Amino acid sequence: SQSYKLGNSAWGRFVISGWHFWGHIDFYLGLPLLKLSETTIGEDGNSFYNNGIETGIKLYPSKIKDRKLRPFIGVSFNNTIFWQEIDNIRNQNLTRNTFPLQTGLTYVRGKNIFDLGLTYNYQNKYDYYISKTQQEAVELPKVNIAIGWRTYFDVSLKSEPALLDGRLDDLGDKIES
């Protein structure tokens, strides 16, 4: 039995999200765009690891505001994908649904949203067949770092009477206090 570290990797995502409940909750969908690196294992092999499509929620104890740094906690649902190839023979894909926990910080400046976070994947050990008859334990990275930039556009009803006369802001202030 041989052991290899997966090493560092990076991948891009296209994220669609929406803030709700007066800037306290962010629901999002992350779609993988590209894989920026693979890990070499041994002399004649490589492996591929990626978190696929991700759906999640981030909870902000303090309302998101312009020019303010805000902490968040969250959880997501995603499908983790792993495979390895040795001597140009690709083994099966290992695909598992995971529920990683998240924490981090969000900073908003104008229409720019910056995120820095950690993802903790407590479900990271799996059995993986490296041949038709041989099974090995695979341990995927437990912690991932997430760095992101987003922008937004407002699709709320700007002409909503409760928004125009301030009743909605009053309700949000009452909920916060």
Side-chain angles (χ1 to χ4, degrees):
S1 167
Q2 292 181 327
S3 171
Y4 300 102
K5 291 271 186 203
L6 284 178
N8 297 326
S9 64
W11 52 86
R13 290 185 176 282
F14 178 73
V15 176
I16 302 167
S17 71
W19 280 329
H20 300 279
F21 302 103
W22 298 274
H24 288 278
I25 295 180
D26 180 18
F27 294 104
Y28 68 91
L29 174 69
L31 305 170
L33 294 176
L34 58 115
K35 176 84 166 107
L36 301 178
S37 64
E38 289 184 10
T39 301
T40 301
I41 54 176
E43 291 182 17
D44 297 315
N46 61 41
S47 66
F48 173 87
Y49 159 72
N50 196 353
N51 289 320
I53 296 172
E54 179 179 29
T55 302
I57 182 172
K58 294 178 184 175
L59 306 171
Y60 293 88
S62 299
K63 178 180 180 175
I64 291 292
K65 290 185 178 179
D66 193 38
R67 297 180 187 251
K68 299 289 182 185
L69 190 63
R70 296 295 192 227
F72 67 83
I73 59 171
V75 65
S76 68
F77 169 77
N78 71 35
N79 58 331
T80 297
I81 302 162
F82 170 83
W83 59 258
Q84 74 177 24
E85 179 180 281
I86 297 177
D87 295 326
N88 293 321
I89 299 171
R90 181 172 165 174
N91 293 321
Q92 71 174 2
N93 283 355
L94 172 71
T95 304
R96 296 289 185 267
N97 293 324
T98 60
F99 299 91
L101 304 175
Q102 304 171 356
T103 188
L105 298 168
T106 297
Y107 180 78
V108 177
R109 182 161 181 159
K111 289 193 169 247
N112 295 295
I113 306 161
F114 303 95
D115 292 310
L116 176 63
L118 289 176
T119 300
Y120 175 68
N121 189 9
Y122 56 91
Q123 299 170 308
N124 71 324
K125 296 179 184 175
Y126 304 101
D127 292 328
Y128 180 73
Y129 283 92
I130 61 171
S131 72
K132 290 182 181 182
T133 58
Q134 187 178 357
Q135 182 176 316
E136 295 288 337
V138 171
E139 186 172 329
L140 299 177
K142 200 173 253 191
V143 176
N144 296 306
I145 297 172
I147 300 171
W149 168 81
R150 299 177 279 162
T151 189
Y152 71 90
F153 56 93
D154 191 353
V155 295
S156 62
L157 300 174
K158 292 189 181 350
S159 60
E160 182 69 33
L163 183 63
L164 292 174
D165 66 16
R167 287 180 285 153
L168 197 56
D169 287 334
D170 292 343
L171 179 61
D173 291 340
K174 286 178 187 175
I175 290 172
E176 279 189 337
S177 41

mmCIF file of all heavy atoms in Angstrom, residues 41-66:
data_model
loop_
_atom_site.group_PDB
_atom_site.id
_atom_site.type_symbol
_atom_site.label_atom_id
_atom_site.label_comp_id
_atom_site.label_asym_id
_atom_site.label_seq_id
_atom_site.Cartn_x
_atom_site.Cartn_y
_atom_site.Cartn_z
ATOM 1 N N ILE A 41 1.221 11.774 -8.633
ATOM 2 C CA ILE A 41 1.463 10.756 -7.615
ATOM 3 C C ILE A 41 2.452 9.743 -8.182
ATOM 4 O O ILE A 41 2.277 9.236 -9.284
ATOM 5 C CB ILE A 41 0.161 10.071 -7.133
ATOM 6 C CG1 ILE A 41 -0.643 9.514 -8.291
ATOM 7 C CG2 ILE A 41 -0.682 11.025 -6.329
ATOM 8 C CD1 ILE A 41 -1.887 8.752 -7.887
ATOM 9 N N GLY A 42 3.516 9.513 -7.453
ATOM 10 C CA GLY A 42 4.538 8.584 -7.933
ATOM 11 C C GLY A 42 5.203 9.113 -9.190
ATOM 12 O O GLY A 42 5.220 10.304 -9.466
ATOM 13 N N GLU A 43 5.744 8.179 -9.976
ATOM 14 C CA GLU A 43 6.444 8.572 -11.198
ATOM 15 C C GLU A 43 5.526 8.632 -12.407
ATOM 16 O O GLU A 43 5.754 9.396 -13.330
ATOM 17 C CB GLU A 43 7.585 7.591 -11.464
ATOM 18 C CG GLU A 43 8.700 7.704 -10.439
ATOM 19 C CD GLU A 43 9.846 6.748 -10.749
ATOM 20 O OE1 GLU A 43 9.931 6.256 -11.880
ATOM 21 O OE2 GLU A 43 10.644 6.512 -9.834
ATOM 22 N N ASP A 44 4.487 7.799 -12.425
ATOM 23 C CA ASP A 44 3.650 7.699 -13.623
ATOM 24 C C ASP A 44 2.169 7.874 -13.322
ATOM 25 O O ASP A 44 1.327 7.206 -13.918
ATOM 26 C CB ASP A 44 3.870 6.340 -14.290
ATOM 27 C CG ASP A 44 5.294 6.174 -14.779
ATOM 28 O OD1 ASP A 44 5.799 7.129 -15.391
ATOM 29 O OD2 ASP A 44 5.890 5.112 -14.526
ATOM 30 N N GLY A 45 1.828 8.751 -12.411
ATOM 31 C CA GLY A 45 0.411 8.886 -12.093
ATOM 32 C C GLY A 45 0.022 10.296 -11.712
ATOM 33 O O GLY A 45 0.863 11.158 -11.478
ATOM 34 N N ASN A 46 -1.267 10.519 -11.687
ATOM 35 C CA ASN A 46 -1.794 11.782 -11.185
ATOM 36 C C ASN A 46 -3.179 11.541 -10.606
ATOM 37 O O ASN A 46 -3.783 10.485 -10.798
ATOM 38 C CB ASN A 46 -1.803 12.878 -12.264
ATOM 39 C CG ASN A 46 -2.659 12.527 -13.443
ATOM 40 O OD1 ASN A 46 -3.746 11.983 -13.303
ATOM 41 N ND2 ASN A 46 -2.185 12.836 -14.628
ATOM 42 N N SER A 47 -3.652 12.522 -9.875
ATOM 43 C CA SER A 47 -4.987 12.422 -9.286
ATOM 44 C C SER A 47 -5.712 13.737 -9.506
ATOM 45 O O SER A 47 -5.102 14.779 -9.728
ATOM 46 C CB SER A 47 -4.901 12.092 -7.795
ATOM 47 O OG SER A 47 -4.306 13.164 -7.102
ATOM 48 N N PHE A 48 -6.990 13.667 -9.433
ATOM 49 C CA PHE A 48 -7.861 14.818 -9.638
ATOM 50 C C PHE A 48 -8.844 14.857 -8.480
ATOM 51 O O PHE A 48 -9.437 13.845 -8.124
ATOM 52 C CB PHE A 48 -8.624 14.653 -10.957
ATOM 53 C CG PHE A 48 -9.670 15.697 -11.192
ATOM 54 C CD1 PHE A 48 -9.344 16.894 -11.797
ATOM 55 C CD2 PHE A 48 -10.984 15.478 -10.824
ATOM 56 C CE1 PHE A 48 -10.311 17.858 -12.034
ATOM 57 C CE2 PHE A 48 -11.949 16.430 -11.059
ATOM 58 C CZ PHE A 48 -11.618 17.624 -11.654
ATOM 59 N N TYR A 49 -8.983 16.024 -7.877
ATOM 60 C CA TYR A 49 -9.924 16.211 -6.779
ATOM 61 C C TYR A 49 -10.617 17.545 -6.965
ATOM 62 O O TYR A 49 -9.965 18.547 -7.263
ATOM 63 C CB TYR A 49 -9.177 16.172 -5.449
ATOM 64 C CG TYR A 49 -9.913 16.818 -4.306
ATOM 65 C CD1 TYR A 49 -11.026 16.202 -3.752
ATOM 66 C CD2 TYR A 49 -9.502 18.034 -3.777
ATOM 67 C CE1 TYR A 49 -11.712 16.792 -2.708
ATOM 68 C CE2 TYR A 49 -10.173 18.622 -2.737
ATOM 69 C CZ TYR A 49 -11.276 18.001 -2.205
ATOM 70 O OH TYR A 49 -11.965 18.576 -1.176
ATOM 71 N N ASN A 50 -11.929 17.573 -6.803
ATOM 72 C CA ASN A 50 -12.677 18.808 -6.973
ATOM 73 C C ASN A 50 -13.994 18.697 -6.228
ATOM 74 O O ASN A 50 -14.553 17.618 -6.103
ATOM 75 C CB ASN A 50 -12.947 19.062 -8.457
ATOM 76 C CG ASN A 50 -13.367 20.486 -8.742
ATOM 77 O OD1 ASN A 50 -13.593 21.277 -7.847
ATOM 78 N ND2 ASN A 50 -13.458 20.809 -10.016
ATOM 79 N N ASN A 51 -14.446 19.826 -5.736
ATOM 80 C CA ASN A 51 -15.808 19.908 -5.232
ATOM 81 C C ASN A 51 -16.659 20.376 -6.392
ATOM 82 O O ASN A 51 -16.387 21.411 -6.979
ATOM 83 C CB ASN A 51 -15.915 20.891 -4.069
ATOM 84 C CG ASN A 51 -15.254 20.353 -2.825
ATOM 85 O OD1 ASN A 51 -15.375 19.172 -2.537
ATOM 86 N ND2 ASN A 51 -14.545 21.190 -2.107
ATOM 87 N N GLY A 52 -17.677 19.615 -6.740
ATOM 88 C CA GLY A 52 -18.518 19.935 -7.891
ATOM 89 C C GLY A 52 -19.492 21.057 -7.588
ATOM 90 O O GLY A 52 -19.182 22.005 -6.869
ATOM 91 N N ILE A 53 -20.674 20.944 -8.110
ATOM 92 C CA ILE A 53 -21.712 21.951 -7.896
ATOM 93 C C ILE A 53 -22.020 22.028 -6.404
ATOM 94 O O ILE A 53 -22.163 21.014 -5.732
ATOM 95 C CB ILE A 53 -22.974 21.595 -8.705
ATOM 96 C CG1 ILE A 53 -22.649 21.640 -10.198
ATOM 97 C CG2 ILE A 53 -24.111 22.544 -8.358
ATOM 98 C CD1 ILE A 53 -23.766 21.129 -11.081
ATOM 99 N N GLU A 54 -22.111 23.242 -5.902
ATOM 100 C CA GLU A 54 -22.309 23.463 -4.470
ATOM 101 C C GLU A 54 -23.509 24.372 -4.240
ATOM 102 O O GLU A 54 -23.655 25.394 -4.895
ATOM 103 C CB GLU A 54 -21.054 24.097 -3.877
ATOM 104 C CG GLU A 54 -21.133 24.390 -2.411
ATOM 105 C CD GLU A 54 -19.847 24.998 -1.883
ATOM 106 O OE1 GLU A 54 -19.133 25.686 -2.639
ATOM 107 O OE2 GLU A 54 -19.573 24.778 -0.705
ATOM 108 N N THR A 55 -24.361 23.991 -3.306
ATOM 109 C CA THR A 55 -25.489 24.812 -2.876
ATOM 110 C C THR A 55 -25.311 25.066 -1.388
ATOM 111 O O THR A 55 -25.073 24.126 -0.633
ATOM 112 C CB THR A 55 -26.827 24.092 -3.117
ATOM 113 O OG1 THR A 55 -26.931 23.774 -4.503
ATOM 114 C CG2 THR A 55 -27.994 24.949 -2.702
ATOM 115 N N GLY A 56 -25.395 26.323 -0.963
ATOM 116 C CA GLY A 56 -25.129 26.585 0.437
ATOM 117 C C GLY A 56 -25.840 27.789 0.996
ATOM 118 O O GLY A 56 -26.548 28.521 0.290
ATOM 119 N N ILE A 57 -25.615 27.967 2.291
ATOM 120 C CA ILE A 57 -26.185 29.090 3.024
ATOM 121 C C ILE A 57 -25.115 29.638 3.966
ATOM 122 O O ILE A 57 -24.387 28.881 4.603
ATOM 123 C CB ILE A 57 -27.456 28.679 3.799
ATOM 124 C CG1 ILE A 57 -28.062 29.873 4.532
ATOM 125 C CG2 ILE A 57 -27.170 27.533 4.748
ATOM 126 C CD1 ILE A 57 -29.419 29.575 5.166
ATOM 127 N N LYS A 58 -24.998 30.960 3.989
ATOM 128 C CA LYS A 58 -24.103 31.640 4.922
ATOM 129 C C LYS A 58 -24.967 32.515 5.826
ATOM 130 O O LYS A 58 -25.831 33.251 5.349
ATOM 131 C CB LYS A 58 -23.103 32.527 4.176
ATOM 132 C CG LYS A 58 -22.122 31.760 3.330
ATOM 133 C CD LYS A 58 -21.208 32.726 2.591
ATOM 134 C CE LYS A 58 -20.272 31.985 1.661
ATOM 135 N NZ LYS A 58 -19.470 32.921 0.847
ATOM 136 N N LEU A 59 -24.702 32.429 7.114
ATOM 137 C CA LEU A 59 -25.447 33.209 8.101
ATOM 138 C C LEU A 59 -24.541 34.305 8.647
ATOM 139 O O LEU A 59 -23.423 34.025 9.102
ATOM 140 C CB LEU A 59 -25.915 32.314 9.242
ATOM 141 C CG LEU A 59 -26.708 31.080 8.824
ATOM 142 C CD1 LEU A 59 -26.925 30.159 10.009
ATOM 143 C CD2 LEU A 59 -28.030 31.478 8.206
ATOM 144 N N TYR A 60 -25.025 35.543 8.599
ATOM 145 C CA TYR A 60 -24.280 36.693 9.085
ATOM 146 C C TYR A 60 -24.933 37.214 10.363
ATOM 147 O O TYR A 60 -26.059 37.710 10.314
ATOM 148 C CB TYR A 60 -24.276 37.808 8.032
ATOM 149 C CG TYR A 60 -23.515 37.457 6.784
ATOM 150 C CD1 TYR A 60 -24.130 36.797 5.727
ATOM 151 C CD2 TYR A 60 -22.175 37.791 6.662
ATOM 152 C CE1 TYR A 60 -23.415 36.475 4.583
ATOM 153 C CE2 TYR A 60 -21.459 37.478 5.519
ATOM 154 C CZ TYR A 60 -22.093 36.819 4.487
ATOM 155 O OH TYR A 60 -21.392 36.497 3.361
ATOM 156 N N PRO A 61 -24.259 37.131 11.517
ATOM 157 C CA PRO A 61 -24.848 37.663 12.757
ATOM 158 C C PRO A 61 -25.106 39.168 12.664
ATOM 159 O O PRO A 61 -26.071 39.668 13.210
ATOM 160 C CB PRO A 61 -23.800 37.371 13.831
ATOM 161 C CG PRO A 61 -22.893 36.351 13.244
ATOM 162 C CD PRO A 61 -22.972 36.493 11.760
ATOM 163 N N SER A 62 -24.215 39.891 11.972
ATOM 164 C CA SER A 62 -24.381 41.332 11.762
ATOM 165 C C SER A 62 -24.743 41.570 10.307
ATOM 166 O O SER A 62 -24.165 40.968 9.409
ATOM 167 C CB SER A 62 -23.078 42.077 12.073
ATOM 168 O OG SER A 62 -22.704 41.888 13.409
ATOM 169 N N LYS A 63 -25.676 42.459 10.100
ATOM 170 C CA LYS A 63 -26.159 42.773 8.752
ATOM 171 C C LYS A 63 -25.009 43.202 7.835
ATOM 172 O O LYS A 63 -24.127 43.954 8.238
ATOM 173 C CB LYS A 63 -27.190 43.897 8.857
ATOM 174 C CG LYS A 63 -27.753 44.356 7.540
ATOM 175 C CD LYS A 63 -28.762 45.473 7.760
ATOM 176 C CE LYS A 63 -29.329 45.932 6.440
ATOM 177 N NZ LYS A 63 -30.380 46.933 6.630
ATOM 178 N N ILE A 64 -25.036 42.717 6.603
ATOM 179 C CA ILE A 64 -24.069 43.132 5.587
ATOM 180 C C ILE A 64 -24.288 44.613 5.299
ATOM 181 O O ILE A 64 -25.408 45.048 5.035
ATOM 182 C CB ILE A 64 -24.269 42.310 4.290
ATOM 183 C CG1 ILE A 64 -23.875 40.867 4.517
ATOM 184 C CG2 ILE A 64 -23.505 42.906 3.135
ATOM 185 C CD1 ILE A 64 -22.412 40.648 4.743
ATOM 186 N N LYS A 65 -23.198 45.394 5.378
ATOM 187 C CA LYS A 65 -23.268 46.824 5.090
ATOM 188 C C LYS A 65 -22.036 47.222 4.290
ATOM 189 O O LYS A 65 -20.986 46.592 4.391
ATOM 190 C CB LYS A 65 -23.308 47.639 6.386
ATOM 191 C CG LYS A 65 -24.595 47.495 7.154
ATOM 192 C CD LYS A 65 -24.601 48.420 8.353
ATOM 193 C CE LYS A 65 -25.925 48.297 9.085
ATOM 194 N NZ LYS A 65 -25.972 49.149 10.261
ATOM 195 N N ASP A 66 -22.180 48.304 3.540
ATOM 196 C CA ASP A 66 -21.073 48.813 2.743
ATOM 197 C C ASP A 66 -19.937 49.265 3.652
ATOM 198 O O ASP A 66 -20.161 49.891 4.695
ATOM 199 C CB ASP A 66 -21.562 49.990 1.887
ATOM 200 C CG ASP A 66 -20.562 50.375 0.820
ATOM 201 O OD1 ASP A 66 -19.926 49.474 0.241
ATOM 202 O OD2 ASP A 66 -20.402 51.591 0.573
#
